[in-house]
Amino acid sequence: MNPSLKLILILIISLEISFKPNLWANLILIGGALIYLIFHHLSWREFLLILFFPLLGAIAIFSALYFFAPDHNLIYAWTLFTRLYVFVFLGACLTLTTTAGKLARSLEQNLHLPSKFTYGCLAALNLLPKMKAEVIRIHYAAQMRGTSLSFWSPRLYFKATLVALAWAENINQGMLAHGYRENASRSIIKPILLTKKDWLLFLGVLILVQPILFIL
């Protein structure tokens, strides 16, 4: 499916399950998302990460609703427990099957988002590994001066912000040097097509989900 339609579909389903508590619908959506991910070669490491990453938050939600709420509604507690996993599995259906670059290009070409948004997102994503290395370098530099910068230290984030501002200016100059102009028309090297098959899949899945949410 086209990345933009996939994103819109996930947002619509997530919004619907936010207003419609339905335990069985949550379980069916989790199962469907899992089958989709397995079809796209989901690894055991990714599956365990999806399973255990939201577990603490899901347990907190379940405990608050079942042990501390006045009515001790077990069904509603399980409903919100599984709802969190629906959000996580639906997000995984997008992030694990679509690259950030392809999604950004699809948003630019198919939804006509401004090119500055697309290239800004791509630049930020490409800088994440370098920013991680820069934070480690700041840690080491501080330790050499006898100072320990903790994860929550304001000095650490201040230094990282200064580095990011310097990089932003360099990126701006680099894009201008390569001929980028904000309002100028640009050629498309990698076209992201929006076909009838994508629309049929989008509408088919959306229509299929409605009776699961509102009738089951």
Side-chain angles (χ1 to χ4, degrees), residues 59-77:
I59 292 175
I61 293 173
F62 179 89
S63 302
L65 291 174
Y66 182 66
F67 295 108
F68 301 103
D71 54 352
H72 303 287
N73 192 327
L74 180 61
I75 298 298
Y76 191 64

Side-chain angles (χ1 to χ4, degrees), residues 120-142:
C121 291
L122 291 175
L125 290 171
N126 289 326
L127 281 178
L128 285 178
K130 293 183 179 181
M131 180 56 71
K132 180 180 178 181
E134 185 64 25
V135 170
I136 295 174
R137 190 191 67 79
I138 293 172
H139 268 290
Y140 288 156

